[in-house]
């Protein structure tokens, strides 16, 4: 059994370095240290190292200290980033080397001694981790939580961006005030301003009622701007002004109102790259990214899997079941590539825990990918299958029966997968009917997150036509 470390603040070693411009003009010609906070180099005046070079992009490259050395990442620049004469997208710098950005030559050297020790925390709010990367993030979050700094959280789907935002709010002095989520990805472009800042009755065709701004709903608390990268470009300057001046005016309103909110934002998109393509305003980017938190994909931190599994079983009220998760299962989980990240793991743990009998092995590895968008499952079960219908092993709302004869000669895991798929389809079809297709209501009744419910609906082709009756 792999052991789980749950303890107090510990130390993590990262390898830092320093960079300086050796040729061409730069506002800062001295050495700039590269630590665990990213250093952005580019032409934009908000960059930490500003290069006055027409061949350099607004935000060109980023440097940050990691356990593997200083990571240099090209941020989608037009003319590229070169390390020792080789164009790179992403690289780790371990030894002194020459860099070129546009026509500017730079130099990198590792710090002496090479390793910087930073504090790290094994947990933050409901989140747990074992990997040095996540523990360093928890340490950073624990420091910024008490401030009013704006935090930009990035990461693939299911890495925990919303959970981080909630945890920061909970750990902040604003915890007793509202936490309001605005999903910028689902705002129709024409309604973006009215959705963000509210509108008066009759302000435009269709504005039959007055609508309060989420900034006012969150007064004294925190607003979480999810999928910020999807915000239409024409509303971006208005958001920037609202953040800078801390006041807003509703569409059709005549007065500004002061707002007291802490802003957290998240995006799956690489926003800094969107700055270079012109899809996202650089001034808004730097305003929102006062603190940047980049959540690694689960496949990049597989050592977190055992502690996550244990925590998930604990949340399900059965931490003792961790003893029934074999090393083989954990190893299989660690080899999986996790397209759905922690959400996919949580789903597999929930299903495995629900299906395993008393004292049986918790077979999480058999339920991987159950959130992936796969075509309809279970071709061999239910009504109209080639198999007879002797005996029933469940059966659901759509009236099919599972054929015991169809189990014969087939491997246990395969049959179990089929039965489960059939159960999922019947369960969600019945739920959709009951909740009249309202995804929020379905999520409430099922005790699941909306994203999960949507994934199951898509997987089984239920309400695929844009979830028409879902008012979200
Ligand atoms: N470190 C963690 N510890 C425990 N649970 C976690 C952790 N990270 C994520 N989760 C769980 O994984 C699921 C997905 O997390 P969340 O919704 O925050 O992801 P997200 O990055 O916002 O996803 P998306 O981009 O798809 O909206 C949630 O159920 C959350 O509780």
């Amino acid at each position: 059994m792999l052991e789980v470390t749950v303890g107090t603040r510990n130390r993590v070693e990262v390898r830092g370095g320093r960079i300086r411009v050796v040729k061409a003009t730069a506002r800062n010609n001295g050495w700039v240290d590269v630590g665990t906070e990213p250093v952005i180099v580019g032409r934009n005046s908000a960059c930490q190292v500003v290069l006055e070079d027409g061949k350099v992009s607004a935000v060109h490259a980023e440097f940050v200290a990691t356990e593997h050395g200083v990571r240099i990442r090209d941020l989608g620049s037009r003319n590229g980033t070169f390390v020792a004469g080789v164009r790179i997208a992403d690289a780790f710098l371990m030894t002194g080397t020459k860099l070129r950005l546009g026509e500017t030559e730079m130099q990198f050297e590792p710090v002496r001694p090479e390793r910087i020790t930073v504090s790290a925390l094994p947990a933050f709010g409901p989140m747990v981790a074992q990997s040095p990367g996540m523990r360093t993030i928890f340490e950073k979050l624990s420091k910024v939580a008490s401030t009013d700094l704006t935090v930009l959280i990035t990461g693939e789907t299911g890495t925990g961006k919303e959970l981080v935002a909630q945890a920061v709010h909970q750990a902040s002095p604003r915890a007793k005030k509202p936490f309001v989520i605005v999903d910028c990805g689902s705002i129709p472009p024409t309604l973006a301003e009215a959705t963000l800042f509210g509108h008066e009755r009759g302000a435009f065709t269709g504005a039959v009622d007055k609508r309060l701004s989420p900034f006012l709903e969150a007064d004294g608390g925190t607003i979480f701007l999810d999928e910020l990268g999807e915000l239409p470009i024409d509303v971006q300057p208005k958001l920037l002004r609202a953040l800078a001046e801390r006041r807003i005016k509703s569409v059709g309103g005549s007065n500004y109102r002061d707002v007291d909110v802490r802003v957290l934002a998240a995006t799956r998109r690489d926003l800094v790259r969107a700055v270079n393509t012109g899809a996202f305003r650089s001034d808004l980017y730097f305003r929102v990214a006062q603190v940047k938190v980049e959540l690694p994909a689960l496949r990049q931190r597989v050592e977190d899997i055992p502690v996550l599994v244990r925590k998930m079983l604990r949340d399900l009220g059965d931490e003792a079941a961790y003893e029934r998760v074999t090393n083989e299962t954990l190893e299989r989980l660690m080899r999986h590539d996790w397209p759905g990240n922690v959400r996919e793991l949580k789903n597999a743990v929930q299903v495995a825990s629900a299906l395993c009998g008393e004292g049986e092995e918790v077979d999480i590895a058999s339920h991987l990918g159950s959130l992936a968008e796969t075509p309809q499952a279970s071709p061999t079960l239910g009504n109209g299958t080639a198999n007879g219908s002797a005996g029933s092993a469940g059966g659901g709302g759509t009236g099919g029966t599972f054929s015991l004869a169809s189990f014969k000669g087939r491997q246990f895991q395969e049959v179990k997968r089929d039965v489960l798929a059939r159960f999922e389809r019947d369960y969600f079809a019945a739920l959709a009917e009951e909740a009249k297709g309202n995804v929020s209501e379905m999520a409430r009744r099922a005790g699941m997150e909306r994203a999960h419910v949507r994934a199951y609906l898509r997987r089984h082709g239920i309400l695929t036509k844009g979830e028409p009756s879902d008012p979200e």
Side-chain angles (χ1 to χ4, degrees):
M1 186 69 37
L2 292 185
E3 253 319 293
V4 174
T5 311
V6 181
T8 49
R9 193 173 248 110
N10 61 1
R11 319 286 290 174
V12 162
E13 286 190 333
V14 295
R15 292 161 182 262
R18 55 184 195 163
I19 51 172
R20 72 167 177 178
V21 175
V22 285
K23 242 186 186 170
T25 50
R27 274 188 213 168
N28 186 342
N29 273 325
W31 285 105
V32 175
D33 289 331
V34 179
T36 50
E37 275 306 302
V39 173
I40 297 183
V41 181
R43 220 160 15 88
N44 189 292
S45 59
C47 292
Q48 282 83 356
V49 178
V50 181
L51 300 178
E52 283 153 5
D53 173 345
K55 294 272 167 62
V56 165
S57 294
V59 280
H60 197 109
E62 184 185 73
F63 297 76
V64 68
T66 74
E67 309 126 70
H68 314 293
V70 167
R71 179 180 176 199
I72 175 173
R73 203 160 61 99
D74 183 87
L75 300 172
S77 71
R78 195 155 31 91
N79 295 313
T81 299
F82 295 80
V83 175
V86 179
R87 186 169 182 163
I88 57 99
D90 205 328
F92 289 98
L93 307 173
M94 303 278 284
T95 53
T97 186
K98 279 203 175 113
L99 313 166
R100 187 165 63 74
L101 288 73
E103 287 181 343
T104 303
E105 269 185 30
M106 298 187 73
Q107 190 184 352
F108 166 82
E109 54 177 55
V111 289
R112 305 263 177 252
E114 276 186 12
R115 289 163 189 266
I116 312 169
T117 308
V118 292
S119 307
L121 271 176
F124 181 68
M127 310 185 81
V128 293
Q130 178 85 349
S131 61
M134 281 305 287
R135 287 176 167 219
T136 315
I137 287 175
F138 291 166
E139 177 77 22
K140 184 171 176 175
L141 293 173
S142 74
K143 285 188 184 136
V144 299
S146 59
T147 72
D148 264 347
L149 289 168
T150 304
V151 184
L152 177 65
I153 310 152
T154 58
E156 292 179 10
T157 183
T159 44
K161 298 184 290 297
E162 187 177 324
L163 195 62
V164 164
Q166 279 170 355
V168 167
H169 172 72
Q170 283 309 326
S172 80
R174 297 173 176 270
K176 292 208 164 66
K177 297 285 184 167
F179 175 78
V180 175
I181 303 176
V182 179
D183 179 3
C184 302
S186 65
I187 308 177
T190 50
L191 291 181
E193 188 178 351
T195 308
L196 278 182
F197 306 121
H199 61 74
E200 300 303 313
R201 193 169 162 205
F204 50 86
T205 320
V208 278
D209 282 316
K210 180 184 164 87
R211 180 181 171 152
L212 198 65
S213 163
F215 279 92
L216 294 175
E217 282 173 27
D219 197 33
T222 304
I223 193 164
F224 174 49
L225 304 173
D226 202 4
E227 290 310 328
L228 182 68
E230 307 309 313
L231 196 68
I233 189 95
D234 54 314
V235 79
Q236 291 177 17
K238 290 174 182 147
L239 176 61
L240 178 66
R241 203 171 325 124
L243 298 186
E245 297 175 3
R246 304 216 157 258
R247 53 185 203 147
I248 58 158
K249 183 153 73 93
S250 65
V251 176
S254 42
N255 296 320
Y256 278 93
R257 287 185 62 179
D258 289 341
V259 286
D260 169 26
V261 285
R262 202 260 177 95
V263 177
L264 304 175
T267 175
R268 272 176 255 180
R269 271 225 268 172
D270 198 341
L271 262 198
V272 76
R273 279 174 197 270
V275 168
N276 278 332
T277 62
F280 202 83
R281 287 183 62 116
S282 61
D283 42 12
L284 181 58
Y285 172 79
F286 284 108
R287 181 70 190 70
V288 173
Q290 282 181 321
V291 178
K292 243 183 99 178
V293 170
E294 202 177 325
L295 296 178
L298 189 55
R299 65 184 164 279
Q300 293 165 334
R301 48 173 166 119
V302 290
E303 64 269 48
D304 285 349
I305 289 173
V307 285
L308 283 169
V309 168
R310 186 171 194 157
K311 166 79 169 50
M312 288 163 181
L313 289 169
R314 189 189 315 147
D315 290 345
L316 290 170
D318 191 9
E319 189 175 2
Y322 185 72
E323 295 301 320
R324 291 181 275 118
V325 179
T326 63
N327 276 351
E328 202 187 357
T329 292
L330 289 174
E331 278 161 20
R332 270 183 71 190
L333 297 181
M334 285 164 143
R335 283 197 303 268
H336 185 59
D337 70 342
W338 300 109
N341 289 295
V342 187
R343 178 178 293 125
E344 186 185 349
L345 176 64
K346 189 168 172 177
N347 185 62
V349 170
Q350 281 173 345
V351 175
S353 150
L355 292 184
C356 83
E358 186 126 5
E360 272 177 24
E361 181 193 335
V362 188
D363 186 11
I364 304 162
S366 291
H367 305 291
L368 300 181
S370 54
L371 279 181
E373 288 179 50
T374 50
Q376 297 245 349
S378 187
T380 58
L381 289 168
N383 279 348
T385 63
N387 305 297
S389 58
S392 167
T398 52
T401 53
F402 295 120
S403 154
L404 291 179
S406 71
F407 300 163
K408 284 200 183 129
R410 297 175 63 205
Q411 287 202 339
F412 171 71
Q413 292 299 353
E414 188 193 328
V415 176
K416 190 164 134 187
R417 226 177 359 252
D418 282 351
V419 171
L420 184 65
R422 172 58 184 279
F423 153 74
E424 283 175 7
R425 198 166 66 224
D426 288 350
Y427 178 87
F428 286 99
L431 188 67
E433 205 177 307
E434 234 176 84
K436 300 187 175 58
N438 181 320
V439 178
S440 300
E441 181 56 21
M442 291 169 74
R444 203 185 57 73
R445 289 181 188 221
M448 293 169 78
E449 291 176 39
R450 283 177 308 179
H452 268 145
V453 173
R454 276 202 202 90
Y456 280 112
L457 296 178
R458 273 199 304 272
R459 181 179 185 211
H460 296 291
I462 305 165
L463 286 178
T464 45
K465 289 177 197 142
E467 296 157 12
S469 45
D470 181 19
E472 295 167 274

